[in-house]
Structure formats: structure tokens, C-alpha cells
Amino acid sequence: LSRLSGLRAFVPDYRLAPEHPFPAAIEDARVAWDQLIALGYRSDEIILGGDSAGGGLALALLAQLCAAGQPPRALFAFSPWTDLTLSGASMTENAESDVLFLAYRAGELRDMIVSAKKASDPAVSPLFARFPECPPIFMQCSQSEILRDDTLRMGKRLRSFGADVTVQVLPGRPHVWQLFDRLLPEAKQALRETGAFIAAVFPAPRSNDN
């Protein structure tokens, strides 16, 4: 994506569950953002992105930044996990077709991050967050994965705040197929489309000297 868009990538090494449950990840994401600002980047020079749980984390950070009046330039997410209450219909509808994110393990994985009682906290489930002054959003998911409805409902939620949202729902792809670049032609195409979105919202890349 960095090569396709011509932009630098900053990939933070944030704390992970189960050793570091909620709110460790969102705290670290905010520290990473603050560090970029301290380095001299403006908020409108930063594009957030992530996949699966990382996509949900990026959206949770976005909600914080929108509330603070400091939104990034844009955000992209691949199959983001946005609802840790596990209430999406695709959790059951696609339980047999999703071979990478197994439905029967979703609750187990959620419990490593946060208790069921706190799963609706917007900082862990951005589906329930508010997004005032939201920037453009680009999301991709598979029609056959259990997080399909996490993506679709997230798109609807973001649009309710006036955001310009593009959601691509592709048939027959595995969860976060974008990671299989060089193995699946569909992955390369997905990355090219994401790179085109980034280039469209940020047409003037910073110099590498900055």
C-alpha cells in the first residue's frame, strides 16, 4: 500500500491480548497518533488503516479523534471487527463458510480482549461510537465471512454521521484476503483499489525528506 499510494507507512507495535486486554490497544494507538503529531505531521496528513481486529482498533481511534475535532485525512479497513457483542447476523449465517475466522471461537477471542459486559463500549466496539465530522472511509469485506455484517453495519453507522463511505463486498474471498498478495490475484486487485482510494483523498504525497 505504501508503494501503491506513494506514502510512508507507520506501523505501530501495540500491546496485544490476552497478555494486555482492553484498553491497552486503544491506549497504544492513541500514543502512536500523538507521536506522529509530535513529529510534525498534521492530522489531515495521516490516513488510518487496519484489518480485522486492527480495523476495529483504527475505527475506535477514529471515533476519539472525531470527538476531539482532530480527524485524520481518511481511513481504510479490511474486514474490521467492529462489534464485540457478536450480534451481527453473519456470525451465524456464515459460520460454515468462513474458514479463517471461525465463528465458534469468536466469543473466546472476545473474552481475551474484554468481558462480555463491556463489549458494547465504543472504545472496543466502534459500531456503537459517534463520528462527528467524519472523513472519507473505504472498507472491504467478503460476502462469506462472519464479519460481513460488522462491515456493512459500520458503513451504515458512519453514513448516519454524514461520512462519505465506500464499502466493497466481494464474493468467495477468505477473511482479510488482502494479506495474500503474490498468492491471490484478488488480493493484488484489492490493494490496488485501496491504493487508488488513498491517492484520491491524498493526491499530494509528502516528500521522503519530511
Side-chain angles (χ1 to χ4, degrees):
L1 280 174
S2 179
R3 289 194 300 269
L4 288 168
S5 65
L7 298 178
R8 268 185 186 173
F10 179 78
V11 186
D13 183 14
Y14 59 90
R15 288 172 292 170
L16 302 175
E19 291 81 6
H20 303 285
F22 175 79
I26 187 63
E27 289 175 348
D28 289 357
R30 185 56 189 262
V31 168
W33 171 272
D34 291 342
Q35 179 65 18
L36 286 176
I37 298 299
L39 288 172
Y41 290 94
R42 301 191 310 269
S43 60
D44 64 356
E45 293 179 308
I46 302 172
I47 295 174
L48 298 179
D51 65 87
S52 197
L57 177 59
L59 285 158
L61 176 60
L62 174 66
Q64 285 191 7
L65 298 173
C66 287
Q70 193 184 27
R73 185 64 163 259
L75 178 145
F76 68 89
F78 302 145
S79 305
W81 194 8
T82 65
D83 176 15
L84 273 68
T85 71
L86 312 179
S87 64
S90 56
M91 279 283 171
T92 54
E93 291 176 2
N94 290 340
E96 299 298 323
S97 57
D98 193 333
V99 297
L100 287 184
F101 194 167
L102 303 179
Y104 75 89
R105 291 204 62 206
E108 175 187 344
L109 294 174
R110 185 270 314 282
D111 292 343
M112 292 181 183
I113 302 168
V114 68
S115 69
K117 289 183 179 180
K118 295 182 179 180
S120 60
D121 188 321
V124 69
S125 290
L127 181 63
F128 308 112
R130 296 180 57 80
F131 297 89
E133 304 300 322
C134 187
I137 306 291
F138 180 86
M139 295 188 290
Q140 294 175 328
C141 68
S142 172
Q143 179 66 35
S144 57
E145 66 173 319
I146 63 173
L147 295 186
R148 179 198 66 200
D149 288 354
D150 279 49
T151 302
L152 294 177
R153 291 180 298 153
M154 192 73 242
K156 184 177 180 180
R157 175 72 172 172
L158 292 163
R159 291 187 188 102
S160 74
F161 288 92
D164 179 4
V165 181
T166 299
V167 177
Q168 295 181 342
V169 185
L170 287 304
R173 271 63 163 177
H175 176 61
V176 194
W177 73 95
Q178 298 87 348
L179 297 183
F180 296 101
D181 187 24
R182 301 181 186 272
L183 295 176
L184 295 178
E186 294 88 349
K188 174 63 73 176
Q189 181 61 27
L191 293 175
R192 285 173 176 163
E193 291 169 350
T194 308
F197 164 77
I198 294 171
V201 297
F202 202 157
R206 291 174 64 105
S207 165
N208 286 336
D209 295 331
N210 289 333

